[in-house]
Amino acid sequence: MTALLQVKGLSAWYGQSRALFDLDLSIEQGGVTALLGANGAGKTTSLRAICNMIRRTGTTTMDGTDISRRTTEDIVRLGVAHVPEGRGTFVALTVEENLRLAFHIRRDRKAAERDMEKVFAYFPRLNERIHQQAGTLSGGEQQMLAVARALMLAPRLMLLDEPSFGLAPLIVQEIFRILRRINEDEKVSMLIVEQNAALALELADHVYLLETGKVVMSGPSDMVKNDETLRKAYLGY
Amino acid sequence: MEFFIQQIVAGLTNGAIYACVALGLVMIYVSTDHINFAQGEMAMFATFLAWAMIDAGVPYWVAFGLTIMVAFFGGLFIQRVILKPLENAPVLALVVCFIALLSIFNAIAGMIWSFTIKQFPSPFPSRDLFGNGLVSAQQLGVVAVTLVMLGLLTVFFRYTTLGLAMRAAAQNASSARLMGVRVSWMLALGWGLASGIGAIAGMLVAPIVFLDPNMMAGILVYGFAGALVGGIANPLGAVAGGFIVGVLENIVGSYVIGNELKLSFALVMVIGVLLLKPAGLFGRVIVRRV
């Protein structure tokens, strides 16, 4: 497999304080990579830095194209869909409008219409609530909407920031099942950030462990799953 | 009775103009959280451009269309060149910037066209429409132009993806960026639209109040009142607010307090609404589950 997204020497700052220290990441084409670590390890920051949402240095290349200095909008247009922390719902727009927003940057209208149907096949619940104001959706539905919005961009890479956050275990399982299907059927590569390490390890095939803004370990997820000392030391189970 | 109906109609005519001004204010407010104090002077400047064109022999409606276009690109330009560098500036700096724009436009207009009042032509005849002295073609025309513009804007915001992108950018800028929307251009577009709408208001009001660099001062206060009464974050509310202010100020002016205190009445309405219903009469509180 070849790397779809290559990150080299990524550092990031919030004001004066440095949050990331020379991160190197390599996201495989078609795979699911997980970024794991405790609170404040720099997981969310890494996703934000890749999308140029914060001040950062280092290089990121997407499929050979240097995207280090592109704007967030351009990076999205190049096929990186970011499902942000907090879900980023457009609360006063309807569910349909939330999804149709993708038509603004899609040139292939017909394909976009097909994607809309596909999204509703993955998330029938959104179809039931299509004309509802998105702010009135439950947390789980809003998370589904966030993934669905990202899917509408026809991305090659999805960055998922804690899709399990604040949701009931049953809903989390449903969402992760769908994510697995999206990865397999749509060939969308994924970089997922999770607090719930056990869950992420199920989905991911490759893992990076972060601690205070540095990569402390990386490898196949099976390796982490089977290494009890590693799990106990960094993932707390 | 006849007098009463005349006052209502006159109120609706004024209200249409206030509605345009209010809509221009709301357009910028919802996307940037700023009140553009220069909205009135920008409209006045655009109206002078229209006057200059008509004076040079350009047919009225051609000048009307050209002025809206020039105003649109002027607004776009102001946002890109003057306001974009101030993106992260404190609110007070922006307020000063808006007031500077206000006095700059006022001074330049005075410099080029002088401060003496000018007659601005109306495309609509002032003759009585139904032969009963109630509605003139001029009044109907003003309301019609406003309603057509509102219709076009509604279609734009509700049924085009660009309009949707603008709404999304106004609501949640960072999330809109993650959907690939170029947010800063959406803001510029909002300024362009606001400026174009302002130009329409200016050209509609100029035949009534006469054209001079200070003509929008009072109108802006009424427009502001309309926007606040209807709900500063709600375009349709602002339009309704504009009409409400127009009708009420006329009725109250003719029957209760006299014409001299009309402007004060607009301000009383603002204070009243802000005290009793801060989101405005039609201000919607967004339902949200967390």
Side-chain angles (χ1 to χ4, degrees):
Chain A
M1 284 206 284
T2 51
L4 176 63
L5 183 81
Q6 192 83 48
V7 177
K8 279 216 163 66
L10 186 68
S11 298
W13 288 263
Y14 287 112
Q16 292 297 310
S17 61
R18 190 169 177 181
L20 291 182
F21 297 85
D22 292 316
L23 236 60
D24 290 335
L25 303 171
S26 166
I27 314 301
E28 298 301 319
Q29 181 96 49
V32 179
T33 305
L35 275 184
L36 304 179
N39 262 339
K43 306 185 297 292
T44 295
T45 307
S46 306
L47 296 192
R48 289 197 178 146
I50 289 169
C51 289
N52 268 346
M53 295 164 79
I54 50 171
R55 189 162 69 89
R56 47 149 288 185
T57 58
T59 56
T60 36
T61 44
M62 170 85 178
D63 218 7
T65 318
D66 187 351
I67 58 167
S68 320
R69 295 182 166 279
R70 301 290 188 96
T71 60
T72 304
E73 299 95 297
D74 278 340
I75 292 171
V76 172
R77 286 168 191 236
L78 280 167
V80 180
H82 187 158
V83 180
E85 188 180 37
R87 299 156 197 153
T89 313
F90 297 98
V91 290
L93 301 185
T94 65
V95 169
E96 184 177 19
E97 286 172 329
N98 265 271
L99 297 173
R100 286 221 168 253
L101 188 53
F103 281 67
H104 177 61
I105 66 161
R106 296 280 303 257
R107 291 289 157 259
D108 43 349
R109 249 169 195 284
K110 283 207 182 105
E113 291 288 357
R114 275 199 302 278
D115 282 350
M116 192 100 165
E117 280 164 33
K118 206 150 60 181
V119 159
F120 286 135
Y122 282 119
F123 301 103
R125 252 208 269 181
L126 295 181
N127 201 6
E128 287 162 27
R129 309 212 183 293
I130 186 162
H131 297 302
Q132 208 167 310
Q133 208 182 48
T136 63
L137 297 182
S138 72
E141 288 162 346
Q142 287 195 33
Q143 187 62 59
M144 292 178 187
L145 182 60
V147 175
R149 259 200 334 264
L151 204 53
M152 282 302 296
L153 297 169
R156 286 192 291 163
L157 175 65
M158 247 190 213
L159 309 180
L160 295 147
D161 199 340
E162 289 216 38
S164 75
F165 186 80
L167 302 180
L170 271 178
I171 305 280
V172 171
Q173 274 179 12
E174 187 183 346
I175 287 176
F176 271 72
R177 255 200 317 273
I178 297 168
L179 287 177
R180 148 108 27 231
R181 273 173 57 207
I182 291 173
N183 170 247
E184 284 169 0
D185 300 348
E186 313 296 328
K187 309 277 177 259
V188 178
S189 316
M190 293 177 177
L191 174 59
I192 182 168
V193 154
E194 259 300 340
Q195 290 263 5
N196 188 335
L199 200 65
L201 283 171
E202 283 304 311
L203 183 68
D205 36 51
H206 201 90
V207 176
Y208 286 87
L209 278 179
L210 294 189
E211 198 181 42
T212 55
K214 300 185 188 83
V215 175
V216 287
M217 198 239 58
S218 78
S221 49
D222 290 337
M223 191 182 92
V224 182
K225 254 187 275 184
N226 301 330
D227 188 333
E228 208 188 321
T229 29
L230 205 62
R231 272 185 1 231
K232 284 232 165 79
Y234 292 107
L235 306 174
Y237 78 102
Chain B
M1 188 59 201
E2 194 172 292
F3 180 73
F4 180 73
I5 294 175
Q6 276 168 349
Q7 290 311 309
I8 297 260
V9 172
L12 286 174
T13 313
N14 290 347
I17 294 161
Y18 305 156
C20 290
V21 177
L23 196 58
L25 290 169
V26 168
M27 194 75 75
I28 289 174
Y29 181 81
V30 290
S31 50
T32 57
D33 278 342
H34 302 141
I35 297 290
N36 176 18
F37 295 108
Q39 180 77 22
E41 305 311 282
M42 284 164 63
M44 171 278 297
F45 199 83
T47 311
F48 263 110
L49 291 177
W51 178 81
M53 278 189 249
I54 294 166
D55 200 43
V58 179
Y60 182 90
W61 288 110
V62 177
F64 185 85
L66 280 175
T67 302
I68 294 172
M69 269 167 60
V70 171
F72 173 83
F73 286 108
L76 205 74
F77 181 82
I78 288 175
Q79 200 280 337
R80 293 310 284 183
V81 175
I82 299 171
L83 292 161
K84 187 157 185 292
L86 295 174
E87 241 168 16
N88 300 316
V91 178
L92 204 56
L94 282 157
V95 171
V96 171
C97 176
F98 290 139
I99 292 172
L101 279 172
L102 183 154
S103 59
I104 289 169
F105 274 115
N106 192 288
I108 294 180
M111 209 169 76
I112 304 176
W113 294 292
S114 91
F115 283 89
T116 52
I117 61 167
K118 294 176 175 57
Q119 197 139 29
F120 191 87
S122 167
F124 310 108
S126 57
R127 78 186 154 78
D128 192 3
L129 210 55
F130 304 111
N132 53 8
L134 294 180
V135 184
S136 73
Q138 152 76 16
Q139 290 173 320
L140 190 71
V142 168
V143 175
V145 168
T146 306
L147 292 182
V148 167
M149 181 201 70
L150 284 178
L152 289 176
L153 279 174
T154 308
V155 168
F156 171 73
F157 279 109
R158 192 159 295 173
Y159 300 108
T160 70
T161 47
L162 184 59
L164 178 59
M166 282 182 73
R167 283 193 287 153
Q171 235 183 75
N172 189 339
S174 71
S175 197
R177 272 190 202 99
L178 292 180
M179 289 300 284
V181 177
R182 296 193 206 283
V183 171
S184 84
W185 273 104
M186 296 301 125
L187 300 187
L189 209 54
W191 265 81
L193 284 176
S195 170
I197 296 166
I200 294 176
M203 289 184 283
L204 290 181
V205 79
I208 303 170
V209 300
F210 294 106
L211 179 59
D212 85 292
N214 297 318
M215 75 164 182
M216 291 303 279
I219 311 290
L220 184 66
V221 175
Y222 285 121
F224 198 51
L228 285 171
V229 165
I232 186 81
N234 177 353
L236 284 177
V239 170
F243 279 106
I244 291 172
V245 168
V247 172
L248 279 184
E249 59 123 4
N250 238 5
I251 299 291
V252 173
S254 358
Y255 288 101
V256 189
I257 53 175
N259 278 330
E260 295 77 13
L261 284 174
K262 266 169 138 185
L263 197 60
S264 323
F265 176 69
L267 294 170
V268 169
M269 279 179 76
V270 169
I271 295 169
V273 168
L274 287 182
L275 279 177
L276 298 173
K277 208 161 179 300
L281 292 180
F282 308 98
R284 185 168 53 150
V285 180
I286 290 164
V287 189
R288 182 171 195 176
R289 258 167 84 165
V290 281

